[in-house]
C-alpha cells in the first residue's frame, strides 16, 4: 500500500468518524444501539465505539448519503436494501424524487417516511454461521443523517411546499440589514425541520452575489444574502445560530457552495462553470463568509458543521483551465490547498466535514 492510498484511507476513517459523531449528537440516545452507550454518554466516545465495531464495508457505506424515488422504505424497496445491506450513512429527500406528497397530509407523511427510514437503519440484522451464532460479532446499528435543502420562497427553491411556515428568501433577509431577523428565520427553520425528523440541513448559501457577472454569468438571485462579503458572513452566522438553537442543536448545518460560486461564468446546471479569480481575490470575497462560520467563528452556535463543495473550476489556483480540468470537488490537490488555509484547517481538525 503506497503513501497516497494510506493517506486516503486515513481521511476516509476520519470523515466516517465525523459523520458518526454528528449522528450521535443529532439522534436521541434511546435510538442509538451500541455496546455500553449508556455508560459513556460522550458523543465523540460513542462515535469511536461505533467506528471500532464497523466492518471496512460498513465504514465506506457510512460516507454516502443517497437519494431515492417515492415515499416508501418497505423491505422490498431499493432504499431499504441500501440501508440494511450497504449501511449507507444517510439520505437526501427532495421534491424532484417525489419524496413528498401534497397538498394534503404532507407533514404527516414526511414524518412517517423519516421514521420508517430510521427504523430500517436501527434494525440489527446479524449474519449467522452454520451453528446459528452471529458471525459478525456485536450487533451494531447507526442512525441515518436525513438531509434537505429548503431555501425559502416556494418552488423551485423549497422541497416541502405544503405545511411549513412560509419563510423569506435569504436576499430578503439580507436586505433588512438585521441579523436578529436572520436568526429568527433560522430558528423557525431549525425547529420545524427537527420536528419532522430532519437532522442535516444543506444551507444556507454563503455565496457572495457578483453583480458584475450577472449578465454573462450566474444570476443566483434571491438565494443569497447579498453582495457584501462582510454582511453575508454576519447574516450567515446569525442564520446558522438560529437553526442550531431552534432545533436544540439537533440539526447539522452544511453551508454552501464552498468555495463560492457568485463569480461563476455560467450556470453550473448547464456545464462545469469557472470562477476566474486568484486565491487572494477569493480570500477577500468568496471565501470570507466561509471563514466567518468556520475558523473565525467564536461560538459553536455560529459554526457550520460542514461545507458543501461546489462542482466549479477555480482558475486562480487550479492553473490554466481546460475542458479536461476537473471541478474543485474532484481535484484533491486543489481542495487540500484550500483546506490547508488556517481558518479551515483549525475548523476541520475540530470535526468539520466536507460534503460533496
Amino acid at each position: 500500500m503506497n503513501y497516497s492510498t494510506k493517506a486516503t484511507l486515513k481521511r476516509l476513517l476520519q470523515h466516517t468518524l465525523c459523520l458518526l459523531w454528528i449522528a450521535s449528537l443529532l439522534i436521541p440516545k434511546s435510538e442509538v444501539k451500541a455496546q455500553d452507550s449508556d455508560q459513556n454518554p460522550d458523543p465523540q466516545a460513542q462515535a469511536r465505539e461505533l467506528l471500532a465495531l464497523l466492518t471496512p464495508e460498513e465504514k465506506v457505506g457510512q460516507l454516502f448519503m443517497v437519494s431515492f424515488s417515492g415515499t416508501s422504505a418497505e423491505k422490498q424497496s431499493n432504499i431499504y436494501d441500501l440501508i440494511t445491506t450497504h449501511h449507507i450513512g444517510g439520505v437526501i429527500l427532495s421534491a424532484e424524487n417525489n419524496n413528498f406528497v401534497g397538498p394534503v397530509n404532507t407533514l404527516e407523511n414526511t414524518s412517517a417516511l423519516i421514521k420508517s427510514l430510521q427504523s430500517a437503519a436501527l434494525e440489527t440484522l446479524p449474519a449467522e454461521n452454520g451453528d446459528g451464532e452471529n458471525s459478525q460479532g456485536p450487533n451494531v446499528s447507526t442512525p441515518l443523517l436525513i438531509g434537505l435543502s429548503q431555501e425559502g420562497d416556494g418552488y423551485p427553491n423549497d422541497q416541502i411546499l405544503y405545511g411549513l411556515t412560509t419563510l423569506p428568501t435569504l436576499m430578503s433577509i439580507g436586505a433588512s440589514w438585521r441579523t436578529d431577523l436572520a436568526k429568527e428565520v433560522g430558528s423557525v427553520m431549525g425547529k420545524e425541520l427537527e420536528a419532522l425528523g430532519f437532522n442535516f440541513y444543506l444551507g444556507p448559501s454563503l455565496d457572495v452575489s457578483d453583480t458584475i457577472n450577472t449578465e454573462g454569468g450566474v444570476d443566483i438571485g434571491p438565494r443569497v444574502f447579498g453582495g457584501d462579503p462582510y454582511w453575508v458572513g454576519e447574516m450567515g452566522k446569525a442564520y446558522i445560530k438560529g437553526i442550531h438553537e431552534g432545533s436544540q442543536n439537533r440539526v447539522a448545518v452544511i453551508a454552501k457552495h464552498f468555495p463560492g460560486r457568485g463569480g461563476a461564468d455560467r450556470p453550473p446546471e448547464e456545464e462545469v462553470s469557472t470562477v476566474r479569480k486568484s486565491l487572494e481575490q477569493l480570500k477577500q470575497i468568496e471565501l470570507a463568509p466561509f471563514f466567518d462560520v468556520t475558523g473565525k467563528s467564536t461560538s459553536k452556535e455560529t459554526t457550520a458543521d460542514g461545507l458543501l463543495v461546489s462542482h466549479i473550476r477555480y482558475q486562480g489556483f487550479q492553473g490554466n483551465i481546460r475542458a479536461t480540468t476537473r471541478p474543485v470537488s474532484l481535484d484533491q490537490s486543489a481542495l487540500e490547498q484550500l483546506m490547508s488555509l488556517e481558518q479551515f484547517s483549525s475548523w476541520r481538525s475540530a470535526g468539520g466535514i466536507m460534503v460533496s
Side-chain angles (χ1 to χ4, degrees), residues 128-149:
E128 294 184 352
N129 58 26
D131 299 324
E133 296 178 350
N134 182 6
S135 61
Q136 291 185 339
N139 293 340
V140 179
S141 55
T142 56
L144 293 171
L145 296 170
I146 310 290
L148 181 77
S149 175

Side-chain angles (χ1 to χ4, degrees), residues 5 15 20 23 62 87 110 113 118 127 131-132 155 166 178 191 212 216 231 315 319 345:
T5 304
H15 204 79
L20 289 172
Q62 285 294 302
H87 307 282
T110 298
L113 172 60
Q118 293 290 17
D131 299 324
Y155 178 84
T166 302
R178 291 177 54 185
K191 182 178 181 180
I212 297 175
W231 279 105
Q315 188 172 28
S345 61

Side-chain angles (χ1 to χ4, degrees), residues 23-24 27-34 37-38 46 50 122 141-143:
S24 66
I27 304 296
K29 288 187 175 64
S30 60
E31 294 185 8
V32 181
K33 302 175 184 178
S37 61
D38 292 335
Q46 286 184 336
L50 281 173
L122 296 174
S141 55
T142 56

Side-chain angles (χ1 to χ4, degrees), residues 101-166:
V101 295
V104 180
N105 297 328
T106 301
L107 301 187
E108 292 83 351
N109 291 327
T110 298
S111 179
L113 172 60
I114 292 175
K115 287 180 180 177
S116 66
L117 291 167
Q118 293 290 17
S119 294
L122 296 174
E123 286 182 11
T124 51
L125 301 172
E128 294 184 352
N129 58 26
D131 299 324
E133 296 178 350
N134 182 6
S135 61
Q136 291 185 339
N139 293 340
V140 179
S141 55
T142 56
L144 293 171
L145 296 170
I146 310 290
L148 181 77
S149 175
Q150 188 87 352
E151 299 181 322
D153 201 33
Y155 178 84
N157 300 329
D158 283 339
Q159 305 304 311
I160 302 177
L161 301 177
Y162 309 101
L164 295 180
T165 301
T166 302

Side-chain angles (χ1 to χ4, degrees), residues 75-260:
K75 290 190 176 182
Q76 61 269 29
S77 66
N78 289 333
I79 189 60
Y80 181 88
D81 178 63
L82 285 170
I83 293 170
T84 58
T85 304
H86 301 282
H87 307 282
I88 58 171
V91 299
I92 301 289
L93 302 184
S94 69
E96 183 181 11
N97 287 321
N98 297 314
N99 298 136
F100 308 110
V101 295
V104 180
N105 297 328
T106 301
L107 301 187
E108 292 83 351
N109 291 327
T110 298
S111 179
L113 172 60
I114 292 175
K115 287 180 180 177
S116 66
L117 291 167
Q118 293 290 17
S119 294
L122 296 174
E123 286 182 11
T124 51
L125 301 172
E128 294 184 352
N129 58 26
D131 299 324
E133 296 178 350
N134 182 6
S135 61
Q136 291 185 339
N139 293 340
V140 179
S141 55
T142 56
L144 293 171
L145 296 170
I146 310 290
L148 181 77
S149 175
Q150 188 87 352
E151 299 181 322
D153 201 33
Y155 178 84
N157 300 329
D158 283 339
Q159 305 304 311
I160 302 177
L161 301 177
Y162 309 101
L164 295 180
T165 301
T166 302
L167 298 177
T169 63
L170 298 187
M171 183 69 78
S172 299
I173 301 170
S176 72
W177 304 97
R178 291 177 54 185
T179 55
D180 60 319
L181 291 182
K183 178 185 173 184
E184 183 177 346
V185 173
S187 180
V188 173
M189 175 81 75
K191 182 178 181 180
E192 295 187 343
L193 292 184
E194 191 275 333
L196 287 174
F198 290 99
N199 53 25
F200 201 83
Y201 177 64
L202 296 169
S205 169
L206 297 183
D207 297 310
V208 179
S209 181
D210 191 335
T211 55
I212 297 175
N213 281 344
T214 51
E215 278 195 35
V218 180
D219 181 9
I220 48 184
R223 301 169 64 188
V224 297
F225 288 112
D228 185 298
Y230 169 78
W231 279 105
V232 171
E234 290 298 300
M235 292 293 180
K237 287 190 296 182
Y239 196 88
I240 291 171
K241 184 176 183 179
I243 292 177
H244 282 150
E245 291 185 355
S247 67
Q248 302 178 70
N249 289 310
R250 299 176 67 81
V251 172
V253 181
I254 313 299
K256 58 186 183 183
H257 301 86
F258 179 82

Side-chain angles (χ1 to χ4, degrees), residues 35-46:
Q35 283 189 325
D36 301 325
S37 61
D38 292 335
Q39 295 152 2
N40 199 346
D42 178 60
Q44 274 208 357
Q46 286 184 336

Side-chain angles (χ1 to χ4, degrees), residues 258 279 283 287 290-297 335-350:
F258 179 82
L279 182 56
K283 289 179 183 179
L287 288 174
F290 293 102
F291 289 157
D292 289 338
V293 301
T294 54
K296 289 180 64 177
S297 176
L335 190 56
E336 288 296 335
Q337 182 181 350
L338 285 173
M339 299 315 297
S340 67
L341 297 174
E342 181 181 356
Q343 294 87 340
F344 297 132
S345 61
S346 60
W347 165 82
R348 200 178 189 187
S349 64

